[in-house]
Amino acid sequence: MTTSVVRIEDKLYQNRYLVDAGRPHIKVRQHQSPSSNLLALTLVCPANCYGVNEHGQVEVTADGCMECGTCRVLCEENGDIDWSYPRGGFGVLFKFG
Ligand code: SF4
């Protein structure tokens, strides 16, 4: 009997994204050192859109965002990020199968 392992990366790869070049729909507000909530985004984003740069600041690359809203719930109210949906026609296109 064989078992197959389904990896999240394999599922995410099936999605399609239309990137709105130069108009990211999520922005991290400028900071010297990140808040704990901002740092948490590097762990909780299912699409791995957040990372820490060489200066210890959190950055976002929203191209693969699935619009799940996790980062919005965690950080928008305290002002760490600006979040909006992509313009019509841009963003994620979910595919199943
Ligand atoms: S909305 Fe979800 S997928 Fe998109 S950047 Fe935030 S946590 Fe990641």
Side-chain angles (χ1 to χ4, degrees):
M1 179 174 152
T2 58
T3 58
S4 63
V5 176
V6 177
R7 299 181 325 133
I8 290 177
E9 290 80 5
D10 294 336
K11 286 292 185 187
L12 290 177
Y13 185 72
Q14 296 177 23
N15 296 331
R16 295 293 175 258
Y17 304 89
L18 188 56
V19 176
D20 197 358
R23 297 184 65 157
H25 69 284
I26 304 171
K27 295 176 184 166
V28 175
R29 296 208 181 143
Q30 286 190 337
H31 57 279
Q32 293 295 320
S33 58
S35 67
S36 57
N37 277 17
L38 206 45
L39 273 176
L41 297 183
T42 65
L43 302 173
V44 301
C45 172
N48 205 21
C49 291
Y50 290 89
V52 178
N53 67 18
E54 68 273 13
H55 304 293
Q57 299 159 331
V58 172
E59 295 178 328
V60 63
T61 304
D63 294 355
C65 172
M66 298 186 298
E67 302 169 25
C68 71
T70 302
C71 59
R72 186 177 193 180
V73 169
L74 198 58
C75 284
E76 189 178 50
E77 194 167 300
N78 66 11
D80 280 338
I81 65 170
D82 290 321
W83 197 103
S84 60
Y85 284 105
R87 291 191 300 157
F90 294 97
V92 67
L93 171 65
F94 290 103
K95 291 190 160 198
F96 303 101

